Amino acid sequence: LPICEANPAPSQPDSGAGAAPPSVQLTRYITDPSGVLTAAGRTAVEGAISKLYTQRNVHLWVAYVNDFSGLTPFRWAEDTMRANGFSDTDGLLAIATAHRTFAFRPPAAIINGTDGPRVNAELIRKERIAPAVRKDEWARAAVQAAEGLETAG
């Protein structure tokens, strides 16, 4: 089941000069070098992010890493998004599993309301993602993020 053949990769950044090397070179939509997803968990996350794309025409990329390499979660996410060429229809949920911390950067198109209803990202962070991360429910955190973006508005 392909997740999205219509737009297989984020657009490239305007200028590669001066861009920081990626904290993680993301694979298509789910990156899990920490190995925390089970097969069932991966299937659940793939289904949720595929449904989000179908409903809202945005991509949520999910990265599970051991830690954020000494950076704040926000900075790690920003650097990774820039280095991987994210556009305004790409968002990122990055989870540092060793420390149970995360960064959630919804697609700008949803935050700004240019692609349907606006999203309350803080509400999704606090009520959907944080409880799952605190309980080491890695797949649930991503599913909750995607569902929160999909049903926003």
Side-chain angles (χ1 to χ4, degrees), residues 1 3 30 37-50 139 143:
L1 173 70
I3 291 179
I30 300 174
L37 282 183
T38 63
R42 179 175 287 274
T43 298
V45 174
E46 287 171 347
I49 60 180
S50 179
V143 168

Side-chain angles (χ1 to χ4, degrees), residues 32 34-38 41 45 62 64 93 95-101 132-144:
D32 185 18
S34 62
V36 296
L37 282 183
T38 63
V45 174
V62 181
Y64 300 95
L93 172 62
I95 301 174
T97 58
H99 303 290
R100 292 187 185 114
T101 57
V133 170
R134 277 194 302 272
K135 296 177 183 174
D136 296 346
E137 295 174 346
W138 311 123
R140 183 174 151 248
V143 168
Q144 288 293 309

Side-chain angles (χ1 to χ4, degrees), residues 56-80:
R56 299 289 303 259
N57 197 34
V58 295
H59 293 114
L60 178 65
W61 298 68
V62 181
Y64 300 95
V65 295
N66 289 327
D67 60 56
F68 290 130
S69 305
L71 299 174
T72 65
F74 179 86
R75 177 64 189 264
W76 188 95
E78 290 292 308
D79 288 354
T80 300

